[in-house]
């Protein structure tokens, strides 16, 4: 059967949407947070100017958007949660569909997306961490992980072990006191829905990893060799907590990418993903690339041919 380009694209969109909805369950319907993108940089700056003034006042201890009862976007009842300067988007809260429709119709707005939650990372077997309790790092004499040999990291170490590089891990957080990571950890931010996403100076810095996945990924990247060694054992790690028990928030991921660009990191690592491509995620990844940040994401662990985003974006 011949299918026109338009029909094929429409069917593809419908199929992708159906698959995504089956995976994220009720998260879309229950969400009150939205990601707003603008038609131009000028439109974004005009919409965010009052928020930026509020952020400056907060940094001086003279007030905040929260103390003002929540700043509204474009004369609607949508409350600004956070303005993201590097990707030029805003995260807002809206409790009525009519408010969302009003935003969508505004001449400055390109798109309004509901926050969705990608499948949460699986917990990591914590046998090793349990066995380590009560022991010093010097007691830990383990073989080099098989992955180091698999990716031929030792050959790369002849040139560099990552000294001077900074990697942002967007995941479930990090155990910043882990023997292999305490020397590598630089700083962290928590972008999950449980935290106020206010001006950067007051962002919640509790990045405690209750699942283990983010710590596992950080160790794969930069464990310093005290017990295990990562592929870049002299790189520094920043942690952005974007995943919680119900999953990884697209709003949190975009806020994390924005922070990575503002921090001028070398790499953003996201061992997460889902079947739904969204304009805001793609734009955030593209902005990171334009800022010379390498973005790496998971292609999936389910053994299927289904594409995973953000890994499948051209960048």
């Amino acid at each position: 059967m011949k299918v026109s380009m338009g029909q094929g694209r429409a069917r593809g969109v419908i199929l992708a949407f159906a698959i995504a909805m089956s995976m994220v369950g009720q998260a879309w319907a229950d969400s009150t947070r939205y990601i707003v993108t603008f038609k131009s940089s000028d439109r974004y700056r005009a919409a965010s100017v009052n928020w930026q003034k509020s952020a400056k006042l907060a940094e001086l201890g003279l007030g905040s958007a929260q103390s003002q009862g929540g700043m509204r976007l474009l004369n609607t009842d949508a409350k600004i949660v956070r303005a993201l300067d590097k990707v030029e988007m805003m995260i807002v809260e809206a409790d009525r569909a009519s408010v969302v429709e009003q935003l969508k119709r505004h001449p400055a707005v390109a798109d309004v997306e509901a926050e969705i939650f990608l499948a949460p990372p699986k917990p990591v077997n914590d046998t090793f961490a349990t066995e380590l309790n009560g022991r010093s790092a010097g007691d830990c004499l383990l073989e080099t992980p098989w992955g180091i040999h698999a990716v031929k990291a030792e050959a790369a170490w002849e040139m560099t072990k990552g000294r001077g590089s900074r990697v942002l891990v967007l995941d479930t957080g990090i155990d910043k006191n882990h023997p292999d990571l305490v020397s590598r950890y630089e700083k962290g931010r928590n972008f999950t829905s449980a935290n106020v996403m206010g001006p950067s100076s007051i962002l919640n810095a509790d990045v405690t990893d209750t699942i283990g996945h983010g710590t596992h990924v950080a160790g794969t990247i930069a464990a310093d060799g005290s017990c295990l060694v990562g592929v870049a054992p002299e790189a520094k790690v920043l942690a952005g907590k974007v995943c919680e028990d119900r999953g990884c928030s697209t709003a949190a991921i975009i806020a994390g990418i924005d922070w990575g660009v503002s921090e001028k990191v070398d790499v953003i690592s996201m061992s997460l993903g889902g079947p739904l491509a969204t304009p805001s995620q793609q734009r955030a990844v593209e902005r990171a690339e334009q800022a010379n940040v390498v973005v790496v994401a998971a292609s999936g662990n389910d053994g299927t041919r289904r594409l995973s985003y953000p890994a499948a974006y051209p960048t």
Side-chain angles (χ1 to χ4, degrees), residues 32-34 36 69-81 91-106:
T32 59
R33 294 205 306 185
Y34 297 84
V36 180
M71 204 165 282
R72 309 294 165 169
L73 177 60
L74 300 173
N75 295 318
T76 72
D77 283 337
K79 177 183 174 182
I80 300 174
V81 177
I91 298 171
V92 303
E93 288 181 349
D95 57 5
R96 301 191 310 276
S98 59
V99 176
V100 177
E101 288 304 314
Q102 187 180 1
L103 270 181
K104 288 181 177 179
R105 291 194 300 268
H106 196 282

Side-chain angles (χ1 to χ4, degrees), residues 82 86 166 200 255-265 291 293:
R82 183 161 173 76
K86 298 302 180 182
R166 299 165 72 234
S200 59
I257 293 173
D258 179 82
W259 182 56
V261 174
S262 68
E263 282 286 335
K264 297 182 172 60
V265 299
V293 179

Side-chain angles (χ1 to χ4, degrees), residues 51-66 81-85 187-191 196-206 258-259 262-263:
W51 172 268
Q52 305 308 334
K53 289 178 181 177
S54 175
K56 292 295 184 184
L57 289 174
E59 290 175 359
L60 296 172
L62 300 176
S64 68
Q66 286 74 27
V81 177
R82 183 161 173 76
L84 307 173
D85 281 353
K187 64 175 71 173
R189 291 288 183 271
N190 190 329
F191 299 98
V196 176
M197 297 175 68
S200 59
S201 61
I202 58 173
L203 273 176
N204 192 324
D206 181 8
D258 179 82
W259 182 56
S262 68
E263 282 286 335

Side-chain angles (χ1 to χ4, degrees), residues 181-294:
L181 294 172
V182 67
S183 69
R184 302 294 89 214
Y185 178 73
E186 180 180 327
K187 64 175 71 173
R189 291 288 183 271
N190 190 329
F191 299 98
T192 63
S193 58
N195 293 274
V196 176
M197 297 175 68
S200 59
S201 61
I202 58 173
L203 273 176
N204 192 324
D206 181 8
V207 290
T208 302
D209 184 6
T210 60
I211 296 175
H213 190 269
T215 302
H216 172 77
V217 171
T220 299
I221 295 168
D224 67 7
S226 295
C227 282
L228 295 173
V229 65
V231 293
E234 294 180 0
K236 283 292 187 178
V237 170
L238 291 77
K241 187 167 183 173
V242 299
C243 304
E244 48 193 329
D245 290 341
R246 59 174 168 166
C248 305
S249 155
T250 52
I253 291 167
I254 290 167
I257 293 173
D258 179 82
W259 182 56
V261 174
S262 68
E263 282 286 335
K264 297 182 172 60
V265 299
D266 299 288
V267 179
I268 295 175
S269 172
M270 297 182 284
S271 186
L272 51 82
L276 183 63
T278 69
S280 61
Q281 277 198 93
Q282 182 164 0
R283 179 175 178 174
V285 170
E286 288 171 349
R287 286 297 177 94
E289 184 190 43
Q290 291 165 10
N292 296 317
V293 179
V294 176

